[in-house]
Amino acid sequence: MELLSVIRRWRHRDDFSIREISRRSGLSRNTVRKYLRADSVEPQFTAPDRPSKLDSYADKLSAMLRVETGKSRKQKRTIKQLHADLAVLGYGGSYNRVAAFARDWKAARQREQQTTGRGTFVPLAFVPGEAFQFDWSEDWAIIAGERTKLQVAHVKLSYSRAFTPRAYPIQTYEMLFDAHN
């Protein structure tokens, strides 16, 4: 929550009144005063732990979601279908609770995949003139009123990322050497 730093900036840098800060932030003036007097960096709000109807079905839902991740997009069941399957098993809670659980589960899985098993990333660095990328492509152009197929050589320098295309009528070794020169 960066609201506290915004409130402090409005008050101390922009010289807004507490009433103006209250109007802009939607907080009461007493709350704005409390935040300005507080020495803490951010206000801490603790949500109480409440048991959910989904707690006893969390393992089943996690297993269902794990199975669904292995399927193609068209074969995956929707969250509504997963909720219906849990209802058949005896779950009496709401769809929203199942959807929230699925969102959290997917976010945790994505974080886990980003931090594990991907190896080490070593950025490539090149000195000038050390390396380049080369490739051919085909393109059409109108030359002297006639539509002509051209072979285009693409050269991209690895250091400066400078890109140079050059067109030829055919791909031969002579054209390859000319493009490299």
mmCIF file of all heavy atoms in Angstrom, residues 47-79:
data_model
loop_
_atom_site.group_PDB
_atom_site.id
_atom_site.type_symbol
_atom_site.label_atom_id
_atom_site.label_comp_id
_atom_site.label_asym_id
_atom_site.label_seq_id
_atom_site.Cartn_x
_atom_site.Cartn_y
_atom_site.Cartn_z
ATOM 1 N N ALA A 47 -5.795 -9.660 8.605
ATOM 2 C CA ALA A 47 -7.071 -10.332 8.368
ATOM 3 C C ALA A 47 -7.136 -11.549 9.272
ATOM 4 O O ALA A 47 -6.190 -12.338 9.324
ATOM 5 C CB ALA A 47 -7.178 -10.750 6.904
ATOM 6 N N PRO A 48 -8.221 -11.718 9.991
ATOM 7 C CA PRO A 48 -8.309 -12.866 10.894
ATOM 8 C C PRO A 48 -8.422 -14.162 10.088
ATOM 9 O O PRO A 48 -8.972 -14.199 8.991
ATOM 10 C CB PRO A 48 -9.594 -12.601 11.683
ATOM 11 C CG PRO A 48 -10.398 -11.694 10.822
ATOM 12 C CD PRO A 48 -9.418 -10.890 10.035
ATOM 13 N N ASP A 49 -7.857 -15.226 10.656
ATOM 14 C CA ASP A 49 -7.972 -16.540 10.023
ATOM 15 C C ASP A 49 -9.342 -17.120 10.340
ATOM 16 O O ASP A 49 -9.687 -17.346 11.497
ATOM 17 C CB ASP A 49 -6.893 -17.484 10.551
ATOM 18 C CG ASP A 49 -5.598 -17.324 9.798
ATOM 19 O OD1 ASP A 49 -5.627 -16.757 8.697
ATOM 20 O OD2 ASP A 49 -4.552 -17.776 10.317
ATOM 21 N N ARG A 50 -10.102 -17.332 9.292
ATOM 22 C CA ARG A 50 -11.434 -17.908 9.452
ATOM 23 C C ARG A 50 -11.474 -19.220 8.680
ATOM 24 O O ARG A 50 -10.975 -19.295 7.557
ATOM 25 C CB ARG A 50 -12.494 -16.980 8.888
ATOM 26 C CG ARG A 50 -12.620 -15.687 9.626
ATOM 27 C CD ARG A 50 -13.817 -14.895 9.112
ATOM 28 N NE ARG A 50 -13.761 -13.556 9.634
ATOM 29 C CZ ARG A 50 -13.556 -12.484 8.891
ATOM 30 N NH1 ARG A 50 -13.436 -12.569 7.601
ATOM 31 N NH2 ARG A 50 -13.508 -11.292 9.449
ATOM 32 N N PRO A 51 -12.060 -20.230 9.235
ATOM 33 C CA PRO A 51 -12.166 -21.483 8.484
ATOM 34 C C PRO A 51 -13.118 -21.306 7.306
ATOM 35 O O PRO A 51 -14.079 -20.546 7.356
ATOM 36 C CB PRO A 51 -12.721 -22.486 9.503
ATOM 37 C CG PRO A 51 -13.365 -21.651 10.549
ATOM 38 C CD PRO A 51 -12.630 -20.337 10.570
ATOM 39 N N SER A 52 -12.825 -22.001 6.230
ATOM 40 C CA SER A 52 -13.635 -21.928 5.029
ATOM 41 C C SER A 52 -14.250 -23.291 4.759
ATOM 42 O O SER A 52 -13.703 -24.325 5.157
ATOM 43 C CB SER A 52 -12.753 -21.516 3.845
ATOM 44 O OG SER A 52 -13.456 -21.654 2.638
ATOM 45 N N LYS A 53 -15.389 -23.297 4.089
ATOM 46 C CA LYS A 53 -15.991 -24.568 3.699
ATOM 47 C C LYS A 53 -15.112 -25.310 2.708
ATOM 48 O O LYS A 53 -15.193 -26.518 2.573
ATOM 49 C CB LYS A 53 -17.372 -24.334 3.068
ATOM 50 C CG LYS A 53 -18.414 -23.829 4.035
ATOM 51 C CD LYS A 53 -19.742 -23.660 3.324
ATOM 52 C CE LYS A 53 -20.792 -23.090 4.248
ATOM 53 N NZ LYS A 53 -22.073 -22.882 3.559
ATOM 54 N N LEU A 54 -14.257 -24.572 2.042
ATOM 55 C CA LEU A 54 -13.396 -25.164 1.021
ATOM 56 C C LEU A 54 -12.169 -25.859 1.616
ATOM 57 O O LEU A 54 -11.523 -26.641 0.927
ATOM 58 C CB LEU A 54 -12.950 -24.069 0.035
ATOM 59 C CG LEU A 54 -12.180 -24.495 -1.200
ATOM 60 C CD1 LEU A 54 -13.030 -25.436 -2.044
ATOM 61 C CD2 LEU A 54 -11.761 -23.307 -2.010
ATOM 62 N N ASP A 55 -11.854 -25.597 2.885
ATOM 63 C CA ASP A 55 -10.642 -26.147 3.486
ATOM 64 C C ASP A 55 -10.553 -27.663 3.363
ATOM 65 O O ASP A 55 -9.491 -28.200 3.053
ATOM 66 C CB ASP A 55 -10.534 -25.738 4.960
ATOM 67 C CG ASP A 55 -10.216 -24.262 5.120
ATOM 68 O OD1 ASP A 55 -9.789 -23.637 4.119
ATOM 69 O OD2 ASP A 55 -10.408 -23.735 6.231
ATOM 70 N N SER A 56 -11.650 -28.353 3.598
ATOM 71 C CA SER A 56 -11.604 -29.816 3.531
ATOM 72 C C SER A 56 -11.550 -30.332 2.094
ATOM 73 O O SER A 56 -11.234 -31.492 1.858
ATOM 74 C CB SER A 56 -12.807 -30.419 4.265
ATOM 75 O OG SER A 56 -14.007 -29.922 3.708
ATOM 76 N N TYR A 57 -11.834 -29.468 1.112
ATOM 77 C CA TYR A 57 -11.808 -29.870 -0.293
ATOM 78 C C TYR A 57 -10.614 -29.267 -1.034
ATOM 79 O O TYR A 57 -10.486 -29.442 -2.248
ATOM 80 C CB TYR A 57 -13.100 -29.426 -0.996
ATOM 81 C CG TYR A 57 -14.327 -30.105 -0.435
ATOM 82 C CD1 TYR A 57 -15.071 -29.504 0.558
ATOM 83 C CD2 TYR A 57 -14.720 -31.337 -0.908
ATOM 84 C CE1 TYR A 57 -16.193 -30.124 1.088
ATOM 85 C CE2 TYR A 57 -15.847 -31.972 -0.396
ATOM 86 C CZ TYR A 57 -16.577 -31.359 0.606
ATOM 87 O OH TYR A 57 -17.672 -31.985 1.104
ATOM 88 N N ALA A 58 -9.723 -28.578 -0.320
ATOM 89 C CA ALA A 58 -8.603 -27.888 -0.957
ATOM 90 C C ALA A 58 -7.666 -28.862 -1.671
ATOM 91 O O ALA A 58 -7.213 -28.592 -2.781
ATOM 92 C CB ALA A 58 -7.832 -27.062 0.071
ATOM 93 N N ASP A 59 -7.405 -30.010 -1.042
ATOM 94 C CA ASP A 59 -6.514 -30.981 -1.683
ATOM 95 C C ASP A 59 -7.136 -31.541 -2.956
ATOM 96 O O ASP A 59 -6.449 -31.707 -3.967
ATOM 97 C CB ASP A 59 -6.190 -32.121 -0.718
ATOM 98 C CG ASP A 59 -5.352 -31.643 0.453
ATOM 99 O OD1 ASP A 59 -4.636 -30.625 0.292
ATOM 100 O OD2 ASP A 59 -5.414 -32.271 1.525
ATOM 101 N N LYS A 60 -8.422 -31.824 -2.921
ATOM 102 C CA LYS A 60 -9.107 -32.335 -4.115
ATOM 103 C C LYS A 60 -9.089 -31.287 -5.231
ATOM 104 O O LYS A 60 -8.828 -31.608 -6.390
ATOM 105 C CB LYS A 60 -10.542 -32.714 -3.783
ATOM 106 C CG LYS A 60 -10.701 -33.939 -2.908
ATOM 107 C CD LYS A 60 -12.158 -34.275 -2.761
ATOM 108 C CE LYS A 60 -12.438 -35.302 -1.722
ATOM 109 N NZ LYS A 60 -11.833 -36.589 -1.901
ATOM 110 N N LEU A 61 -9.355 -30.031 -4.878
ATOM 111 C CA LEU A 61 -9.364 -28.976 -5.873
ATOM 112 C C LEU A 61 -7.963 -28.750 -6.437
ATOM 113 O O LEU A 61 -7.801 -28.552 -7.649
ATOM 114 C CB LEU A 61 -9.919 -27.676 -5.280
ATOM 115 C CG LEU A 61 -10.058 -26.501 -6.234
ATOM 116 C CD1 LEU A 61 -10.909 -26.868 -7.449
ATOM 117 C CD2 LEU A 61 -10.659 -25.314 -5.520
ATOM 118 N N SER A 62 -6.944 -28.822 -5.593
ATOM 119 C CA SER A 62 -5.567 -28.683 -6.076
ATOM 120 C C SER A 62 -5.228 -29.795 -7.061
ATOM 121 O O SER A 62 -4.605 -29.556 -8.097
ATOM 122 C CB SER A 62 -4.579 -28.720 -4.913
ATOM 123 O OG SER A 62 -4.715 -27.584 -4.117
ATOM 124 N N ALA A 63 -5.653 -31.013 -6.738
ATOM 125 C CA ALA A 63 -5.410 -32.139 -7.648
ATOM 126 C C ALA A 63 -6.138 -31.928 -8.966
ATOM 127 O O ALA A 63 -5.589 -32.199 -10.046
ATOM 128 C CB ALA A 63 -5.846 -33.444 -6.990
ATOM 129 N N MET A 64 -7.370 -31.447 -8.904
ATOM 130 C CA MET A 64 -8.133 -31.178 -10.135
ATOM 131 C C MET A 64 -7.431 -30.117 -10.976
ATOM 132 O O MET A 64 -7.308 -30.260 -12.197
ATOM 133 C CB MET A 64 -9.544 -30.703 -9.801
ATOM 134 C CG MET A 64 -10.467 -31.732 -9.253
ATOM 135 S SD MET A 64 -12.042 -30.922 -8.849
ATOM 136 C CE MET A 64 -13.022 -32.313 -8.361
ATOM 137 N N LEU A 65 -6.971 -29.047 -10.328
ATOM 138 C CA LEU A 65 -6.293 -27.971 -11.059
ATOM 139 C C LEU A 65 -4.980 -28.466 -11.666
ATOM 140 O O LEU A 65 -4.616 -28.082 -12.777
ATOM 141 C CB LEU A 65 -6.037 -26.780 -10.130
ATOM 142 C CG LEU A 65 -7.283 -25.996 -9.723
ATOM 143 C CD1 LEU A 65 -6.961 -25.034 -8.592
ATOM 144 C CD2 LEU A 65 -7.856 -25.246 -10.905
ATOM 145 N N ARG A 66 -4.266 -29.338 -10.941
ATOM 146 C CA ARG A 66 -3.020 -29.889 -11.462
ATOM 147 C C ARG A 66 -3.280 -30.722 -12.716
ATOM 148 O O ARG A 66 -2.545 -30.652 -13.699
ATOM 149 C CB ARG A 66 -2.348 -30.742 -10.386
ATOM 150 C CG ARG A 66 -0.863 -30.887 -10.575
ATOM 151 C CD ARG A 66 -0.174 -31.569 -9.402
ATOM 152 N NE ARG A 66 -0.464 -30.939 -8.148
ATOM 153 C CZ ARG A 66 -1.196 -31.411 -7.121
ATOM 154 N NH1 ARG A 66 -1.671 -32.443 -7.132
ATOM 155 N NH2 ARG A 66 -1.445 -30.812 -6.026
ATOM 156 N N VAL A 67 -4.371 -31.510 -12.696
ATOM 157 C CA VAL A 67 -4.740 -32.320 -13.870
ATOM 158 C C VAL A 67 -5.115 -31.407 -15.033
ATOM 159 O O VAL A 67 -4.748 -31.658 -16.187
ATOM 160 C CB VAL A 67 -5.901 -33.273 -13.522
ATOM 161 C CG1 VAL A 67 -6.491 -33.898 -14.758
ATOM 162 C CG2 VAL A 67 -5.434 -34.344 -12.551
ATOM 163 N N GLU A 68 -5.831 -30.334 -14.742
ATOM 164 C CA GLU A 68 -6.282 -29.428 -15.797
ATOM 165 C C GLU A 68 -5.125 -28.712 -16.478
ATOM 166 O O GLU A 68 -5.204 -28.377 -17.658
ATOM 167 C CB GLU A 68 -7.268 -28.395 -15.246
ATOM 168 C CG GLU A 68 -8.573 -28.995 -14.768
ATOM 169 C CD GLU A 68 -9.309 -29.778 -15.839
ATOM 170 O OE1 GLU A 68 -9.448 -29.272 -16.967
ATOM 171 O OE2 GLU A 68 -9.733 -30.904 -15.553
ATOM 172 N N THR A 69 -4.021 -28.464 -15.756
ATOM 173 C CA THR A 69 -2.896 -27.766 -16.372
ATOM 174 C C THR A 69 -2.231 -28.613 -17.445
ATOM 175 O O THR A 69 -1.602 -28.077 -18.355
ATOM 176 C CB THR A 69 -1.838 -27.362 -15.331
ATOM 177 O OG1 THR A 69 -1.398 -28.527 -14.644
ATOM 178 C CG2 THR A 69 -2.389 -26.352 -14.365
ATOM 179 N N GLY A 70 -2.374 -29.931 -17.366
ATOM 180 C CA GLY A 70 -1.774 -30.801 -18.365
ATOM 181 C C GLY A 70 -2.603 -30.943 -19.627
ATOM 182 O O GLY A 70 -2.149 -31.546 -20.601
ATOM 183 N N LYS A 71 -3.802 -30.427 -19.636
ATOM 184 C CA LYS A 71 -4.690 -30.575 -20.790
ATOM 185 C C LYS A 71 -4.559 -29.391 -21.731
ATOM 186 O O LYS A 71 -4.107 -28.315 -21.351
ATOM 187 C CB LYS A 71 -6.148 -30.680 -20.318
ATOM 188 C CG LYS A 71 -6.442 -31.924 -19.519
ATOM 189 C CD LYS A 71 -7.902 -31.958 -19.136
ATOM 190 C CE LYS A 71 -8.247 -33.188 -18.324
ATOM 191 N NZ LYS A 71 -9.646 -33.180 -17.929
ATOM 192 N N SER A 72 -4.989 -29.604 -22.969
ATOM 193 C CA SER A 72 -5.000 -28.497 -23.926
ATOM 194 C C SER A 72 -6.116 -27.519 -23.547
ATOM 195 O O SER A 72 -7.022 -27.853 -22.787
ATOM 196 C CB SER A 72 -5.217 -29.010 -25.350
ATOM 197 O OG SER A 72 -6.533 -29.500 -25.505
ATOM 198 N N ARG A 73 -6.057 -26.338 -24.119
ATOM 199 C CA ARG A 73 -6.994 -25.273 -23.744
ATOM 200 C C ARG A 73 -8.444 -25.681 -23.977
ATOM 201 O O ARG A 73 -9.322 -25.386 -23.174
ATOM 202 C CB ARG A 73 -6.665 -24.008 -24.542
ATOM 203 C CG ARG A 73 -7.513 -22.820 -24.171
ATOM 204 C CD ARG A 73 -7.148 -21.599 -24.979
ATOM 205 N NE ARG A 73 -7.296 -21.762 -26.396
ATOM 206 C CZ ARG A 73 -8.437 -21.588 -27.062
ATOM 207 N NH1 ARG A 73 -9.523 -21.251 -26.419
ATOM 208 N NH2 ARG A 73 -8.480 -21.749 -28.360
ATOM 209 N N LYS A 74 -8.706 -26.373 -25.078
ATOM 210 C CA LYS A 74 -10.086 -26.744 -25.384
ATOM 211 C C LYS A 74 -10.602 -27.885 -24.503
ATOM 212 O O LYS A 74 -11.797 -28.052 -24.356
ATOM 213 C CB LYS A 74 -10.209 -27.122 -26.859
ATOM 214 C CG LYS A 74 -10.086 -25.928 -27.771
ATOM 215 C CD LYS A 74 -10.459 -26.271 -29.178
ATOM 216 C CE LYS A 74 -10.473 -25.016 -30.023
ATOM 217 N NZ LYS A 74 -11.010 -25.257 -31.349
ATOM 218 N N GLN A 75 -9.699 -28.679 -23.952
ATOM 219 C CA GLN A 75 -10.118 -29.802 -23.113
ATOM 220 C C GLN A 75 -10.215 -29.444 -21.640
ATOM 221 O O GLN A 75 -10.750 -30.219 -20.855
ATOM 222 C CB GLN A 75 -9.132 -30.958 -23.284
ATOM 223 C CG GLN A 75 -9.170 -31.567 -24.664
ATOM 224 C CD GLN A 75 -8.133 -32.659 -24.826
ATOM 225 O OE1 GLN A 75 -7.188 -32.734 -24.054
ATOM 226 N NE2 GLN A 75 -8.317 -33.498 -25.824
ATOM 227 N N LYS A 76 -9.710 -28.287 -21.250
ATOM 228 C CA LYS A 76 -9.739 -27.898 -19.840
ATOM 229 C C LYS A 76 -11.155 -27.616 -19.383
ATOM 230 O O LYS A 76 -11.954 -27.055 -20.113
ATOM 231 C CB LYS A 76 -8.889 -26.644 -19.612
ATOM 232 C CG LYS A 76 -7.421 -26.894 -19.657
ATOM 233 C CD LYS A 76 -6.664 -25.628 -19.344
ATOM 234 C CE LYS A 76 -5.175 -25.876 -19.465
ATOM 235 N NZ LYS A 76 -4.405 -24.674 -19.196
ATOM 236 N N ARG A 77 -11.436 -27.990 -18.141
ATOM 237 C CA ARG A 77 -12.723 -27.666 -17.543
ATOM 238 C C ARG A 77 -12.648 -26.250 -16.972
ATOM 239 O O ARG A 77 -11.605 -25.808 -16.504
ATOM 240 C CB ARG A 77 -13.072 -28.646 -16.424
ATOM 241 C CG ARG A 77 -13.316 -30.052 -16.946
ATOM 242 C CD ARG A 77 -13.671 -30.983 -15.835
ATOM 243 N NE ARG A 77 -12.506 -31.160 -14.958
ATOM 244 C CZ ARG A 77 -12.526 -31.846 -13.843
ATOM 245 N NH1 ARG A 77 -13.628 -32.412 -13.423
ATOM 246 N NH2 ARG A 77 -11.442 -31.972 -13.115
ATOM 247 N N THR A 78 -13.766 -25.562 -16.979
ATOM 248 C CA THR A 78 -13.812 -24.218 -16.422
ATOM 249 C C THR A 78 -13.918 -24.302 -14.901
ATOM 250 O O THR A 78 -14.171 -25.372 -14.339
ATOM 251 C CB THR A 78 -15.020 -23.437 -16.968
ATOM 252 O OG1 THR A 78 -16.216 -24.096 -16.536
ATOM 253 C CG2 THR A 78 -14.987 -23.357 -18.486
ATOM 254 N N ILE A 79 -13.749 -23.175 -14.260
ATOM 255 C CA ILE A 79 -13.871 -23.128 -12.802
ATOM 256 C C ILE A 79 -15.302 -23.468 -12.394
ATOM 257 O O ILE A 79 -15.536 -24.116 -11.367
ATOM 258 C CB ILE A 79 -13.437 -21.747 -12.259
ATOM 259 C CG1 ILE A 79 -12.009 -21.415 -12.696
ATOM 260 C CG2 ILE A 79 -13.551 -21.689 -10.751
ATOM 261 C CD1 ILE A 79 -10.956 -22.369 -12.195
#
